[in-house]
Amino acid sequence: MGEQKRSLLRQLYLPAVLCTALWGSAAPCVKRGYELFAVSADAPFSQLVFAGWRFALAGILVLLVTRLKGHRIVPKRDEIKPILAISLFQSMLQYVCYYIGLSGTTGTKGSVLSGTQTFFALLLAHCLLPNDKLNRRKTLGCICGFTGVLALGLGGLNGFNLTGDGLVLLSAVSAGAGALVSRIYTPGRDPMLLTGWQLLIGGCFLLGVGTMGGGALGRVTLGGVLLLCYMIVLSAAAFTIWTALLGKFPVGKVSLFGFLIPVFGTLFSALVLGENIFTARNLAALVLVSGGIAVANSASTKK
């Protein structure tokens, strides 16, 4: 029994926690990146240029890893539509809203609001997939999660603003839709090939829109380049590890760790950005959203 627990610790618990820590660090790293690259809060096209470089290069890195593993990287004709559909929701729409919205909110609130994508995915699956309806646990998880969003907005317009928090929440809706689209198209196909191309296409789209709108990085420093490299590796490594976990363990057992993403996001916001996370509103929202994710995903684990 002890050996089995040690095996689970090495093969599931530690890799899953590493992935959630990487994803949790994304929001504060984006905001720190704006400072290092001198991208101001009122320069949305420059924000998209920053996002475009990150995801285009992350896509290339995923495809390189896929090739090194001996897998095919040239998509077949019947894979083009799935790649474009996933990229539309998971890279284009999601990150247009996310990168612009994050400039108008804190890293803590951005991390908590991004965590609601789990609930939007559950709601969309309930509406669109006949064999994936909400049950009691999923419903309770969604109620907890959206109550957490309300907790963030208790301060009125100063507590929740549409151009910042609202756009981040809209990006979570797009991410939830992207998860549903990915779930429909991924079975029977190489998920790393799909993800590498959707990141590359989405990144080029963001870079193109930002450049055509006159956006540019204000300055390029060694610190900024190192941060960007970390964010590129973050996207590629987290996805590769998470995909490997899904290949070894049940989806419910792996996705249960998703509740840690807003937790790590909040902690990194305090460490990297110096934000005060110990407010009643922040802590209440964090507990409700993270708890809601855990409850909702525990339904899959039990099933």
Side-chain angles (χ1 to χ4, degrees):
M1 190 61 158
E3 180 58 35
Q4 184 179 8
K5 287 184 177 180
R6 285 193 292 271
S7 178
L8 275 176
L9 179 67
R10 292 192 306 269
Q11 297 182 30
L12 174 61
Y13 299 155
L14 291 179
V17 171
L18 174 62
C19 282
T20 57
L22 289 171
W23 279 320
S25 69
C29 282
V30 170
K31 292 190 70 68
R32 181 63 177 149
Y34 289 160
E35 297 175 11
L36 292 174
F37 286 104
V39 175
S40 62
D42 59 352
F45 289 110
S46 296
Q47 294 156 13
L48 295 184
V49 167
F50 179 44
W53 280 116
R54 174 193 173 186
F55 292 109
L57 294 174
I60 292 173
L61 183 56
V62 172
L63 290 174
L64 285 175
V65 172
T66 304
R67 183 61 180 169
L68 290 173
K69 293 179 69 175
H71 295 188
R72 172 177 54 86
I73 62 171
V74 178
K76 297 178 180 178
R77 180 175 297 182
D78 65 344
E79 291 172 328
I80 295 176
K81 181 180 176 181
I83 288 171
L84 292 176
I86 296 171
S87 184
L88 174 64
F89 290 102
Q90 286 197 333
S91 290
M92 299 180 192
L93 296 177
Q94 178 186 354
Y95 289 116
V96 165
C97 295
Y98 183 77
Y99 270 71
I100 295 175
L102 201 57
S103 66
T105 188
T106 65
T108 299
K109 292 170 72 175
S111 300
V112 174
L113 290 171
S114 293
T116 61
Q117 62 182 270
T118 296
F119 312 122
F120 288 117
L122 291 173
L123 292 173
L124 290 169
H126 175 79
C127 295
L128 300 175
L129 298 180
N131 60 343
D132 196 356
K133 299 299 183 183
L134 289 174
N135 56 25
R136 189 173 299 175
R137 282 180 175 271
K138 290 180 181 179
T139 303
L140 178 60
C142 289
I143 291 173
C144 287
F146 290 119
T147 302
V149 174
L150 291 176
L152 282 180
L154 287 178
L157 292 177
N158 290 328
F160 190 96
N161 66 84
L162 293 178
T163 56
D165 305 325
L167 282 176
V168 173
L169 193 60
L170 192 59
S171 78
V173 177
S174 182
L180 184 62
V181 171
S182 180
R183 183 170 159 191
I184 293 171
Y185 283 121
T186 298
R189 298 184 172 95
D190 186 342
M192 291 191 68
L193 181 144
L194 296 182
T195 298
W197 278 104
Q198 72 92 358
L199 284 172
L200 178 57
I201 292 172
C204 289
F205 169 81
L206 296 170
L207 190 57
V209 171
T211 302
M212 286 188 294
L217 301 179
R219 64 169 177 260
V220 178
T221 63
L222 177 60
V225 171
L226 291 176
L227 178 69
L228 182 59
C229 288
Y230 167 74
M231 296 177 72
I232 292 167
V233 173
L234 177 164
S235 300
F239 170 77
T240 302
I241 296 171
W242 199 258
T243 302
L245 292 177
L246 290 173
K248 291 182 180 179
F249 300 97
V251 174
K253 186 171 287 189
V254 177
S255 61
L256 182 60
F257 287 87
F259 82 94
L260 289 172
I261 297 175
V263 175
F264 279 119
T266 300
L267 292 175
F268 281 120
S269 293
L271 293 173
V272 176
L273 304 175
E275 293 180 2
N276 177 23
I277 63 174
F278 297 105
T279 67
R281 189 169 62 205
N282 286 345
L283 294 177
L286 177 63
V287 170
L288 287 167
V289 171
S290 298
I293 294 171
V295 170
N297 282 319
S298 70
S300 302
T301 304
K302 281 182 171 292
K303 184 176 179 181

